[in-house]
Amino acid sequence: MPFSFDKSLLDNVDVGIVVYDKDGWVQFVNATHLKFSYYTYEDFQHFNTYDIYRSKVSNICLFDKAVKTKRPATAIQHTYHGRDDSSYDKLVTAIPILDEFGNIANVVSTFVDLNDFHTKYNTAQRESNITYDMSPSKKYQAQVIYGSGEMQRLLDTAKVIAATDVPVLITGESGTGKEVLANFIHNNSSRWESDMVVVDCASLPEHLLEAELFGYEKGAFTGANASGKRGLIEIADGGTLFLDEINSMPLALQGKLLRVLETQQVKRIGALKGKNIDFRIIAATNADLTTCIQDGAFRVDLYYRLNVMPLTIPPLRERTGDIIPLCKHFLSRAFKRYGKPKTLSPTAYQTLEHYDWPGNVRELKNFIERLVITSSDFSGEIHTIPPEMFGADANLSRLDRKPKASSLSLSQSEEKELNDIVSALYRSGGNRSLAAEQLGVSRRTLQYKLKKYRIKVNMEPQVYIGETPAAKE
């Protein structure tokens, strides 16, 4: 493919740029890249990237990886100069350029000398008076906000698990951050360059969930896409599949998922044969799966397949050391969103630390956002928090409300789920959408649970389980 552009434009970019044709021959090299080499522009016209790699000038050939995968590839490349025995490290990214037929036309590689980068970075840091720790050991602190020893120990364990490819089962109350932990494991694994595909098993009805998970061939069913569709398991090939609320997956699909995990093959709806898939699975639930097994709602063989590496996230009330760091993080986000620079006084922080946060981190996030929006403190610092902001109760104890009446026979897990729903309804003033958000489920799922437990919400609000007083009369 002909390659033409204004050469002077790319010569003035402070990143090294090399353009190759589909066979690896150099088409262009900018002045910045020439500065770090011993060769002229004319010399490069006779270079092929494969020859450079075979001559041991560089320790890695990203061109080859980009051509084979047709995806951008990035690595730290060590470059050796034979003339004076010098060497240097650079961050290299190879980006494939495809023609209209999806074939490789060119590959554009960018080169950043790491010594040059650190010099510029340190200068900018001094001038802007901003400090940012870029060391690998701090990587997850940019993703998981915490300050407690409980979370530190959990993340240390998760980092060890991330280095393996075994299935992980994350448990914890709604709103504790199970998806955040799954992201942390994925980002610290060898699969971090590929995607983590998230599936909420409770948000789709059974027939749609099966089609979304496994995909389908063209004409597999009425209304199917004419060209068929890749399923989410296929999309997770090379990466991680995160199944949230795994306890909500119908039994029939649990059997199909188990088959995929055992064979590492997925078969689309309507297909005659399966396709090999390489992915890591992480599942999460706020339910007690052993109780679900006893109730006949979850397969014991799938449980043992998923529960290879169990991780439990403590509720926020058991890791109060996370409250202040989380508050500061959510205040910063609220400032970016609403333009209101707000801080909390030590007294306000103490108030928040004494609250039980039954909705965990999700509740804290929504609370801080609401606090920033409604605050009329013009000083920028919020000194006191009105007790009524915590819901119907003015005190700061956990909302431990009991149903007015219950004629239901419930298992232990169902009893806990019912109490969580009741607490969320009280905190939201009977607002179902808000309650669903606090519980971390869809409004449709909450409606199903209300019907299951025969929960009726009056506008006082009062919550009755089973029969309302009017029904008793």
Side-chain angles (χ1 to χ4, degrees), residues 3-305:
F3 193 81
S4 61
F5 52 88
D6 185 352
K7 180 178 180 298
S8 63
L9 188 69
L10 296 185
D11 277 340
N12 285 285
V13 176
D14 65 350
V15 173
I17 298 174
V18 178
V19 180
Y20 305 93
D21 68 12
K22 62 184 179 64
D23 298 313
W25 291 101
V26 174
Q27 302 294 293
F28 168 78
V29 55
N30 74 340
T32 302
H33 191 68
L34 290 174
K35 183 177 68 174
F36 292 105
S37 74
Y38 284 93
Y39 301 102
T40 65
Y41 187 86
E42 289 71 26
D43 290 333
F44 270 97
Q45 303 306 300
H46 305 287
F47 286 167
N48 183 284
T49 187
Y50 290 110
D51 294 333
I52 295 173
Y53 175 61
R54 282 191 289 266
S55 66
K56 305 300 182 184
V57 171
S58 296
N59 67 328
I60 190 170
C61 184
L62 281 184
F63 175 93
D64 190 54
K65 185 175 181 180
V67 167
K68 287 179 178 177
T69 63
K70 294 186 179 181
R71 297 175 61 182
T74 300
I76 294 177
Q77 188 180 79
H78 186 73
T79 299
Y80 170 76
H81 290 309
R83 294 184 182 181
D84 61 358
D85 291 332
S86 65
S87 63
Y88 67 101
D89 291 327
K90 54 195 177 187
L91 183 69
V92 183
T93 298
I95 306 168
I97 308 299
L98 307 182
D99 62 19
E100 57 187 307
F101 304 106
N103 300 315
I104 297 291
N106 295 98
V107 172
V108 179
S109 290
T110 60
F111 302 82
V112 178
D113 178 84
L114 292 183
N115 290 327
D116 186 52
F117 169 79
H118 283 297
T119 299
K120 292 177 180 177
Y121 171 79
N122 290 333
T123 300
Q125 190 177 50
R126 285 194 302 271
E127 291 178 354
S128 62
N129 197 30
I130 294 175
T131 301
Y132 180 75
D133 190 348
M134 297 178 63
S135 62
S137 63
K138 298 292 185 181
K139 177 182 176 184
Y140 58 79
Q141 290 187 317
Q143 303 164 350
V144 184
I145 309 300
Y146 70 98
S148 66
E150 291 86 355
M151 281 301 293
Q152 178 68 68
R153 288 187 289 274
L154 178 64
L155 292 176
D156 288 343
T157 302
K159 197 167 189 179
V160 173
I161 293 173
T164 70
D165 233 7
V166 297
V168 179
L169 179 61
I170 302 174
T171 58
E173 295 180 6
S174 293
T176 49
K178 293 184 283 295
E179 185 175 338
V180 173
L181 182 59
N183 259 304
F184 169 79
I185 294 171
H186 171 76
N187 290 335
N188 281 275
S189 74
S190 60
R191 299 175 180 271
W192 66 273
E193 288 185 290
S194 299
D195 293 332
M196 185 180 88
V197 177
V198 180
V199 182
D200 183 355
C201 298
S203 63
L204 293 169
E206 182 174 350
H207 67 285
L208 286 181
L209 181 59
E210 181 178 10
E212 289 296 317
L213 268 179
F214 297 94
Y216 52 83
E217 294 293 297
K218 59 181 180 180
F221 52 85
T222 304
N225 190 305
S227 58
K229 181 180 179 181
R230 283 200 308 161
L232 294 173
I233 296 177
E234 279 189 62
I235 294 173
D237 191 18
T240 301
L241 179 69
F242 176 58
L243 299 178
D244 198 10
E245 293 197 64
I246 186 70
N247 55 295
S248 298
M249 180 177 285
L251 277 171
L253 289 189
Q254 291 177 29
K256 292 187 176 183
L257 175 64
L258 180 63
R259 179 69 176 167
V260 171
L261 297 178
E262 289 177 341
T263 63
Q264 287 293 294
Q265 284 192 338
V266 62
K267 188 163 73 171
R268 295 184 184 182
I269 299 172
L272 297 177
K273 61 179 183 178
K275 178 181 179 182
N276 292 328
I277 301 292
D278 170 34
F279 68 95
R280 188 214 193 124
I281 188 165
I282 301 177
T285 177
N286 59 5
D288 182 356
L289 288 186
T290 57
T291 303
C292 293
I293 292 170
Q294 293 169 6
D295 295 341
F298 203 81
R299 292 180 61 122
V300 65
D301 45 6
L302 178 59
Y303 171 74
Y304 285 119
R305 171 65 71 171

Side-chain angles (χ1 to χ4, degrees), residues 446-461:
L446 179 58
Q447 286 292 104
Y448 166 76
K449 300 292 185 183
L450 295 181
K451 184 177 180 181
K452 173 183 176 181
Y453 296 120
R454 304 202 295 274
I455 299 176
K456 301 193 181 297
V457 185
N458 292 346
M459 294 305 293
E460 289 84 32

